[in-house]
Amino acid sequence: AEHRWLTRPKMRFRTTAALQLGTRMIAVTEAITPIDHQSDDYLAGYVAGVSEGDGTWRRPSGGSYRDRQWYWRVAEPHYDESILRRLSEVIYRLTGSRLAIRPFDGGRGRFDPPAGRAPMLKVETRRAEVVSAVVDVIEHRLDTDDFAAGWLAGIVDSDGSH
């Protein structure tokens, strides 16, 4: 009853107890059809998975100055910089915008981490066209095997913290 299953169409993990007759599950076994790890669908799924696992984003919603800004960010410990490099490359391929990897503050006003924690790095943007494209990928998932495989790879890369 504690086992979690990856389900469609919203690609959420659900416990066995939460499954209902007709729930569509994604098999995490050898793929019946080959997955194209360089397809736009796979890469879009990867962006969505990493973003949902370790990201934060905001579309303008009115109100305060902060609420009117576009924003998207993924932060990872420095030893996972390869995830951020890949994410930056994928964002460039999908949107044409280059995102630099930078130190992440974490809200303390400085870049040195609390005792016992690794320094963090981030990729982020406030460019409306890039945030809009990324958030559209997250909110409007494609119902393809390549997208699902990319999403799962992204969630795993972000330590499955979805």
Side-chain angles (χ1 to χ4, degrees):
E2 295 301 317
H3 182 77
R4 297 171 62 86
W5 302 88
L6 186 57
T7 62
R8 282 189 178 174
K10 293 188 177 184
M11 282 189 269
R12 297 282 186 227
F13 285 99
R14 297 182 187 184
T15 63
T16 300
L19 296 178
Q20 299 175 352
L21 185 62
T23 300
R24 293 178 59 205
M25 291 187 283
I26 297 173
V28 185
T29 61
E30 187 175 329
I32 295 171
T33 57
I35 300 299
D36 180 357
H37 297 276
Q38 293 303 315
S39 72
D40 286 349
D41 284 7
Y42 181 91
L43 298 175
Y46 185 80
V47 169
V50 172
S51 297
E52 289 188 60
D54 282 335
T56 185
W57 60 90
R58 177 177 55 244
R59 289 184 195 243
S61 61
S64 71
Y65 174 75
R66 180 177 181 224
D67 291 335
R68 291 191 308 265
Q69 290 188 358
W70 295 84
Y71 185 72
W72 171 84
R73 176 193 72 226
V74 171
E76 296 288 345
H78 71 94
Y79 51 80
D80 281 339
E81 184 177 350
S82 62
I83 295 167
L84 297 177
R85 272 196 311 273
R86 177 176 172 122
L87 190 57
S88 182
E89 291 167 9
V90 170
I91 295 291
Y92 176 69
R93 177 168 163 189
L94 295 177
T95 70
S97 291
R98 293 201 184 276
L99 303 181
I101 298 171
R102 294 183 161 56
F104 177 62
D105 170 338
R108 297 175 355 125
R110 37 188 231 248
F111 297 112
D112 59 319
R117 303 218 37 208
M120 300 285 287
L121 299 171
K122 68 180 177 182
V123 291
E124 71 178 342
T125 186
R126 294 176 190 274
R127 284 179 258 169
E129 65 278 3
V130 178
V131 176
S132 182
V134 170
V135 173
D136 282 347
V137 161
I138 296 166
E139 293 177 350
H140 303 105
R141 294 184 175 105
L142 303 173
D143 193 15
T144 67
D145 290 341
D146 282 357
F147 185 93
W151 185 89
L152 186 58
I155 257 315
V156 167
D157 274 0
S158 65
D159 301 323
S161 56
H162 175 61

